[in-house]
């Protein structure tokens, strides 16, 4: 048996479209046992119970199968217990976490047989997710910069300044990542591209060194305005928060809102403002930054607690 723990993530962070991602201290946990019978069964506890598949079509099982196939090993029979806390369809990296859970479970099951370095783990996850901005922080924790080369995806992990206090405001409604991406134009004005390059560079500095710059650093002209029509309440509240000095952005593809505060008291004020002014219910999640990333622990004959990197 192996046990896997994977953090939620928020991608883009405003200007860092498909590049920047942040790991958050909210976790999905997975137990995987090998059995004699072929196939796989999944018990889902918490988020997604009664909604997600519980057979071989489950995304976690598919990620395990993808990893075994990639290294040329036959897939054994599996029993999975998934304890999910990451909201689905809310822009907090639930699909990336499921993929990383499966890959890390396979890593644990193949411990001592196949070696997986950080680049191999990221490549396997990117194969399934299609872009590395969510799976990189889920695997490695902290703030990650991810990019793609002809040789595959790459990442750099950075440690976030201790003053940064994330707040995620989660609505009851969901948003399709595919729909959000379909609203993106194929090209953008040159001045908008330059604007985002400057803000992305500033955002890295703000997150690791100068949190007082977070408001200016989270401005964006590449994706949020194009997606606003699909989530008008998200757009309205982000505008309200930013007008009041809060560094608010769309979390991933939305519709959740990420507020990057420079101290814990600031996020209390942001949550109170939304509670007063929102037309629908938004759940405030006051989360720490996760610095460890995904872990896998063997609970059978040998014990190990191995972070992805």
């Amino acid at each position: 048996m192996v046990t896997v723990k994977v953090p939620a993530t928020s991608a883009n962070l405003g200007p860092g479209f498909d590049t920047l991602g942040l790991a958050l201290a909210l976790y999905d946990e997975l137990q995987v046992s090998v059995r004699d019978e072929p196939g796989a069964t999944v018990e889902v506890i918490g988020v997604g119970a009664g909604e997600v598949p519980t057979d071989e079509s489950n995304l976690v099982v598919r990620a395990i199968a993808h990893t075994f196939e990639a290294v040329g090993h036959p897939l054994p029979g599996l029993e999975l217990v998934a304890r999910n806390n990451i909201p689905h369809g809310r822009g907090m990296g639930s699909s990336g976490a499921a993929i990383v859970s499966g890959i890390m479970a396979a890593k644990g099951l193949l411990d001592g047989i196949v070696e997986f370095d950080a680049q191999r783990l990221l490549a396997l996850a990117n194969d399934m997710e299609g872009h590395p901005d969510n799976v990189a922080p889920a695997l490695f924790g902290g703030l990650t910069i991810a990019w793609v080369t002809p040789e595959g995806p790459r990442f750099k992990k950075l440690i976030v300044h201790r003053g940064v206090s994330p707040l995620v405001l989660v609505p009851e409604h969901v948003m399709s990542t595919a729909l959000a991406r379909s609203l993106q134009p194929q090209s953008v004005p040159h001045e908008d591209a330059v604007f985002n390059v400057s803000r992305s560079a500033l955002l890295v500095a703000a997150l690791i060194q100068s949190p007082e710059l977070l408001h200016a650093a989270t401005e964006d002209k590449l994706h949020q305005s194009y997606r606003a029509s699909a989530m008008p309440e998200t757009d309205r509240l982000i505008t309200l928060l930013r007008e009041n000095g809060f560094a608010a952005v769309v979390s991933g593809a939305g519709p959740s809102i990420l507020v990057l505060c420079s101290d814990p008291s600031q996020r209390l004020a942001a949550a109170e403002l939304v509670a007063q002014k929102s037309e629908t219910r938004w759940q405030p999640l006051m989360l720490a930054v996760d610095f460890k990333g995904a872990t896998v622990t063997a609970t059978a004959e040998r014990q190990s607690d191995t972070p992805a990197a």
Side-chain angles (χ1 to χ4, degrees):
M1 178 187 292
V2 296
T3 301
V4 176
K5 185 177 180 180
V6 180
T9 57
S10 184
N12 302 328
L13 312 183
F17 184 64
D18 276 3
T19 301
L20 298 181
L22 187 67
L24 301 170
L26 179 68
Y27 303 93
D28 282 354
E29 295 188 21
L30 175 72
Q31 286 184 328
V32 182
S33 303
V34 175
R35 66 181 188 188
D36 293 332
E37 299 82 8
T41 59
V42 185
E43 178 185 0
V44 179
I45 301 168
V47 177
E51 299 173 1
V52 301
T54 56
D55 57 13
E56 290 90 340
S57 65
N58 182 281
L59 183 56
V60 177
V61 178
R62 288 192 281 127
I64 296 173
H66 174 70
T67 306
F68 270 78
E69 182 180 6
V71 299
H73 280 263
L75 184 69
L78 300 172
E79 291 182 358
L80 287 74
V81 178
R83 293 178 172 84
N84 296 339
N85 293 298
I86 302 171
H88 289 182
R90 304 305 205 285
M92 295 186 68
S94 60
S95 64
I99 290 167
V100 169
S101 292
I103 291 169
M104 291 297 288
K107 176 181 184 290
L109 293 172
L110 292 166
D111 185 33
I113 302 170
V114 179
E115 291 297 319
F116 292 88
D117 61 14
Q119 291 300 150
R120 192 172 200 179
L121 293 170
L122 181 61
L124 288 165
N126 187 67
D127 285 345
M128 297 191 68
E129 180 78 341
H131 42 91
D133 54 337
N134 273 120
V135 294
L139 279 166
F140 309 117
L143 168 68
T144 57
I145 306 169
W147 67 99
V148 178
T149 74
E151 293 74 35
R154 299 290 185 265
F155 79 99
K156 174 63 179 178
K157 174 182 175 179
L158 299 169
I159 301 302
V160 177
H161 190 284
R162 63 182 180 179
V164 175
S165 301
L167 164 68
V168 184
L169 297 157
V170 184
E172 295 177 340
H173 57 281
V174 301
M175 179 69 184
S176 162
T177 301
L179 172 60
R181 287 188 169 272
S182 72
L183 299 173
Q184 291 294 123
Q186 292 298 310
S187 60
V188 297
H190 178 268
E191 57 268 27
D192 289 355
V194 173
F195 182 95
N196 269 60
V197 168
S198 69
R199 296 312 190 273
S200 296
L202 182 61
L203 181 54
V204 172
L207 284 168
I208 67 174
Q209 182 176 326
S210 306
E212 71 276 6
L213 297 173
L214 281 168
H215 188 269
T218 48
E219 294 179 297
D220 162 70
K221 291 188 177 182
L222 279 190
H223 66 103
Q224 293 182 131
S225 61
Y226 298 109
R227 298 173 171 184
S229 62
M231 38 186 163
E233 180 72 351
T234 296
D235 182 61
R236 185 183 73 82
L237 290 175
I238 286 175
T239 300
L240 175 68
L241 286 161
R242 295 194 67 84
E243 286 175 348
N244 283 271
F246 298 106
V249 298
V250 178
S251 181
S256 294
I257 297 169
L258 172 69
V259 188
L260 292 169
C261 300
S262 56
D263 63 70
S265 64
Q266 190 182 43
R267 62 184 179 183
L268 287 171
E272 183 178 351
L273 178 63
V274 168
Q276 292 173 350
K277 301 294 186 179
S278 60
E279 299 173 356
T280 56
R281 181 179 177 273
W282 293 71
Q283 180 186 11
L285 299 178
M286 299 184 188
L287 304 173
V289 175
D290 170 86
F291 294 104
K292 195 172 186 180
T295 60
V296 56
T297 305
T299 55
E301 295 180 356
R302 54 185 182 274
Q303 291 280 342
S304 67
D305 191 353
T306 309

